[in-house]
Amino acid sequence: MNIQHFADGEFAVCYEESIRGADVFLVQSTNPSSDNLMELLLMIDAAKRASAHYITAVIPYFGWARQDRKDRPRVSIGAKLIADLLGVAGITRLITMDLHADQIQGFFNCPVDHLYGSSIFMDYIEKEIPLQNLVVATPDVGGTKRVNSYAKHLGVPMVICHKSRIRANEVAEMRIIGDVKGKDVLLVDDIVDTAGTITKAADLMIENGARTVRAIASHAVMSDPATERIEASKLTEMIFTDSIPYYKDCSKVKVLSVAKLIAESIRRVCSHESISSLYTF
């Protein structure tokens, strides 16, 4: 591929070899800036116009997924808009991972393979974290279903943090529902953006008697000052996947690769095999 940039910030994409009749897999997370999304849309359009047979968008991190409904009057539903853009551009299939809301799959009129990072995290948890005193926790009520799946699989108790917000990315108040005294807490989330919620939850767990607090999250959006907050927090460890590249220096951050999961999914799509067997839960 060749990407040509113009002085005004516009860019154009071009395939440097024939893809006529080929099954094309375009791997691109749509994390900020929106240039990543625009580049993907142009790549899809170019593939369609170059007579590709199938065009599969592989989007490990699906941006704008937090805008999945009208939670107040006169707001956009960004996730639906992105789904429409990808469909009009010409994708025939979507492969993505740990959507912020499962119902986003229904915004597409093409097959969606929704992967889960639980298989990646479970391997790490079972090898690296002692399970004797483990409690899994969600930093907000919206993640209860996700945390419940981890608790059932590991056979450990779960705890919920209830929070209220002043505005987006700013937490006003947080309280714990459950007992963490003397426990090793594992916070489970899908996205860490400014890290305000996850670090506040970790500090609250320690204040309420937890021995250690670790956190796992699929997508490291990590907008400033997230790295500084995690470094200064009472978190023992913060574990991400590399669905979004993370290049900053933080002694507490551990990054796990999604490469094998994505690769095996692509292989199974090509050979028309079931993908659901890849899921731990």
Side-chain angles (χ1 to χ4, degrees), residues 30 57-68 78-80 82-83 86 94-108 110-118 142-143 145-146 189-191 218-219 241 243 279:
T30 56
V58 183
I59 307 178
Y61 169 67
F62 186 89
W64 285 270
R66 285 173 282 185
Q67 301 176 46
D68 62 317
K80 170 61 175 164
I82 303 305
L86 291 166
L94 171 71
I95 298 175
T96 189
M97 188 183 88
D98 282 340
L99 286 168
H100 186 65
D102 288 352
Q103 65 264 24
I104 290 172
Q105 296 171 75
F107 294 169
F108 289 86
C110 66
V112 176
D113 293 312
H114 185 203
L115 309 178
Y116 295 93
S118 54
K145 181 183 175 184
R146 184 184 309 111
D189 211 347
D190 60 335
I191 298 169
S218 300
H219 309 298
T241 74
S243 62
Y279 310 153

Side-chain angles (χ1 to χ4, degrees), residues 47 58 81 86 140 149 155 278 280:
V58 183
L81 175 61
L86 291 166
D140 60 57
S149 299
L278 286 174
T280 300

Side-chain angles (χ1 to χ4, degrees), residues 113 123 233 276:
D113 293 312
D123 286 344
S233 74
S276 61

Side-chain angles (χ1 to χ4, degrees), residues 153-166:
H153 185 80
L154 292 166
V156 299
M158 66 174 284
V159 169
I160 298 169
C161 286
H162 181 267
K163 70 180 179 183
S164 57
R165 288 188 182 275
I166 303 171

Side-chain angles (χ1 to χ4, degrees), residues 148-211:
N148 187 48
S149 299
Y150 277 87
K152 280 185 175 179
H153 185 80
L154 292 166
V156 299
M158 66 174 284
V159 169
I160 298 169
C161 286
H162 181 267
K163 70 180 179 183
S164 57
R165 288 188 182 275
I166 303 171
R167 58 186 69 87
N169 291 331
E170 192 170 340
V171 178
E173 183 187 15
M174 183 178 286
R175 61 187 66 183
I176 297 174
I177 304 170
D179 181 26
V180 296
K181 192 169 184 179
K183 301 291 186 180
D184 296 310
V185 179
L186 179 66
L187 287 162
V188 181
D189 211 347
D190 60 335
I191 298 169
V192 172
D193 188 351
T194 61
T197 299
I198 204 93
T199 54
K200 192 176 181 72
D203 294 347
L204 190 60
M205 296 289 177
I206 295 294
E207 288 169 18
N208 281 265
R211 287 201 317 170

